[in-house]
Amino acid sequence: MRGVWLLALSVMTLAAQPGFVANYDEAKVGNHPLPDPLKFEDGAPVKSAKEWTERRRPEILRLFEEHVYGKTPAAAKIEFEVTKRDPKALNGKATRQELTIWPAGRRGPSMQMLLYVPNQVSGKVPAFVSLSFTGNHSVDPDPAITISTRWMRQGPGIVQNRATEATRGTAASRWPVDLIVSKGYALATVYYGDLFPDHKDGKAESILPHLPDSNWNAIGAWAYGMSRMLDYLEKDSRIDTKRVAVVGHSRLGKAALWAGAQDERFAMVVANDSGEGGAAISRRNYGETVEVLNTAFPHWFTQNYARYNKAVEQMPVDQHELLALVAPRLLYITSATEDQWADPKGEFLSCVAASPVYKLLLGKDGFAGQDPSLVEQPVLRSRIGYHLRAGKHDITRYDWEQFVAFADLHLKPAAVK
Ligand code: GCU
């Protein structure tokens, strides 16, 4: 059933682009040189880690603010309330809580956070922070989880853009909570529509009117929300906030990258099938294009981004530089074989092109991947990890198994008793 809806979504996307035919021919991707993350805007080389950190990194960040995602205003101080608590969730394996958090101050909209913290651990635990497409109640069928009352895109069990009882647990395949908790990680999740309802007029009901206006948009708001989730985790003594990973799938993968690029408190950043405007190189004409993005989803990016609809080679940045903003922290990028719309090869090449920044900062390459065509042979050992999963555009248990394995290797969670 979900497949039918995903198909409907892509048909809708294409319908918004009369006459658009995506290119899937490597011979026609175009051969535009990429901007060099290790050269300043004026062409001078970046010679040291210090120069990168103090001058080039802020320069690239500003370019992404101005030309792609918009500038995130200074964060409001969050307020929160715990609304539900079950110390014996998941057969006693975890404590489950629900919290109301005001990410843009008390007078703004609230977001509802679902939090699982494993019970059988000693010491503080690392955590995954991630937004959902369909609300907390879709993550797990547990009838105690509060159903979202916010606007939701149509889908199975959604009636007049509102969730119903029928939508409990419908996204459980995307959220292997058992796996995450049994490996000693907490999971914090919020419905993305609490921050910005995902339609072209969503701004009015979003957090934007409650914060200083700065030409930002939905992706900026989703990224902002993930940082506010981390603000809460910093107040929770069970969580090791030096070991928090931000994870996102698809448009929320774009948002997770933008969150991780801006907020250096995230120790690890995961972008699953994030595609155009996410991990994929924009200058490659393959699958989705910047023009399609701006036309089908005018509420996602800053207005300036549309300047490049027909001139992508003139963008002062490309997406490998977004990945480079995560350096030297952990980064994990995924693609799926049947998700050609997201340009798997372009996502792999982005990792390759971000790698020199890791080399400058750490003295060794950031990315050990050699071959973009290898299927389900995850690259786990380097600071940039990657896999190409067999199958469709989705986030699956297989994907999460790799995120956990990557985090196990590099983030070293507290031992599970
Ligand atoms: C569409 C869109 C993509 C996006 C995806 C998703 O396919 O074109 O850019 O990543 O939706 O978020 O599911």
Side-chain angles (χ1 to χ4, degrees):
M1 191 64 183
R2 198 177 65 226
V4 174
W5 279 99
L6 291 180
L7 184 68
L9 180 69
S10 41
V11 170
M12 268 156 52
T13 306
L14 294 179
Q17 310 290 296
F20 176 75
V21 180
N23 174 51
Y24 292 115
D25 178 354
E26 270 304 319
K28 295 187 186 145
V29 293
N31 190 22
H32 302 297
L34 295 181
D36 185 343
L38 294 179
K39 273 198 183 136
F40 288 102
E41 274 291 270
D42 65 6
V46 178
K47 291 201 230 69
S48 64
K50 189 169 184 307
E51 281 190 356
W52 165 265
T53 308
E54 290 179 3
R55 290 175 42 221
R56 179 58 172 152
R57 187 181 187 285
E59 186 175 71
I60 295 178
L61 200 54
R62 271 199 309 277
L63 292 171
F64 275 104
E65 287 172 352
E66 186 181 336
H67 299 275
V68 184
Y69 302 107
K71 187 169 166 48
T72 308
K77 199 167 165 300
I78 59 150
E79 293 193 40
F80 68 91
E81 263 171 34
V82 178
T83 54
K84 271 192 189 172
R85 184 169 181 277
D86 177 359
K88 294 207 170 68
L90 304 174
N91 296 323
K93 282 198 225 127
T95 298
R96 192 197 64 233
Q97 277 173 286
E98 289 182 29
L99 299 100
T100 298
I101 302 177
W102 284 268
R106 264 281 182 179
R107 277 167 294 126
S110 63
M111 61 185 191
Q112 309 304 318
M113 187 162 102
L114 176 67
L115 174 65
Y116 289 92
V117 181
N119 287 332
Q120 288 97 356
V121 287
S122 52
K124 289 176 184 266
V125 295
F128 288 101
V129 162
S130 191
L131 298 178
S132 76
F133 284 97
T134 43
N136 297 339
H137 63 276
S138 70
V139 166
D140 189 277
D142 187 337
I145 300 173
T146 308
I147 294 195
S148 172
T149 56
R150 301 296 299 268
W151 182 95
M152 229 165 252
R153 285 192 288 159
Q154 281 302 118
I158 309 287
V159 177
Q160 293 179 338
N161 296 107
R162 303 288 151 175
T164 65
E165 282 289 333
T167 58
R168 287 194 179 282
T170 45
S173 68
R174 292 181 160 194
W175 298 94
V177 188
D178 57 329
L179 167 80
I180 295 166
V181 160
S182 68
K183 295 284 188 178
Y185 294 83
L187 171 69
T189 181
V190 158
Y191 171 52
Y192 79 143
D194 287 358
L195 295 149
F196 195 119
D198 192 5
H199 59 88
K200 68 179 177 30
D201 303 316
K203 182 172 170 180
E205 300 296 319
S206 77
I207 57 170
L208 266 60
H210 305 274
L211 291 161
D213 193 10
S214 56
N215 265 327
W216 62 327
N217 231 326
I219 290 184
W222 299 328
Y224 174 94
M226 290 187 265
S227 285
R228 304 295 70 78
M229 291 164 75
L230 181 52
D231 291 351
Y232 164 75
L233 295 179
E234 287 188 330
K235 297 177 194 295
D236 188 322
S237 60
R238 298 167 299 176
I239 308 293
D240 181 350
T241 45
K242 296 260 175 303
R243 294 186 290 154
V244 176
V246 60
V247 180
H249 167 60
S250 206
R251 66 199 69 185
L252 295 176
K254 308 182 209 300
L257 283 171
W258 183 226
Q262 295 174 93
D263 190 339
E264 294 180 271
R265 295 174 301 168
F266 287 115
M268 173 170 152
V269 180
V270 181
N272 190 84
D273 301 357
S274 60
E276 191 75 30
I281 299 282
S282 301
R283 279 168 172 72
R284 277 172 55 84
N285 172 25
Y286 191 98
E288 189 168 24
T289 64
V290 167
E291 183 173 18
V292 172
L293 265 183
N294 283 317
T295 313
F297 309 103
H299 56 292
W300 284 3
F301 296 87
T302 193
Q303 275 85 4
N304 280 348
Y305 195 39
R307 285 188 199 160
Y308 305 103
N309 282 353
K310 295 200 187 312
V312 79
E313 72 290 349
Q314 284 170 28
M315 282 199 344
V317 282
D318 208 315
Q319 298 304 115
H320 62 299
E321 293 176 297
L322 181 69
L323 305 196
L325 292 177
V326 177
R329 292 167 292 145
L330 296 164
L331 175 65
Y332 199 89
I333 302 297
T334 76
S335 315
T337 52
E338 292 169 37
D339 186 18
Q340 293 297 315
W341 182 243
D343 188 11
K345 187 171 175 191
E347 297 186 311
F348 181 95
L349 292 175
S350 220
C351 298
V352 173
S355 184
V357 175
Y358 282 77
K359 179 132 195 187
L360 178 73
L361 299 181
L362 300 172
K364 57 177 184 222
D365 285 330
F367 186 47
Q370 303 279 341
D371 180 351
S373 67
L374 296 180
V375 179
E376 297 192 2
Q377 296 189 37
V379 178
L380 295 172
R381 301 238 154 235
S382 45
R383 299 289 293 175
I384 305 178
Y386 176 85
H387 72 247
L388 172 65
R389 176 176 46 74
K392 296 196 185 341
H393 182 73
D394 196 1
I395 182 165
T396 68
R397 189 175 182 95
Y398 174 85
D399 295 316
W400 279 97
E401 280 166 354
Q402 312 321 313
F403 310 156
V404 168
F406 188 65
D408 275 354
L409 258 181
H410 301 279
L411 278 184
K412 305 209 175 67
V416 178
K417 270 194 220 150

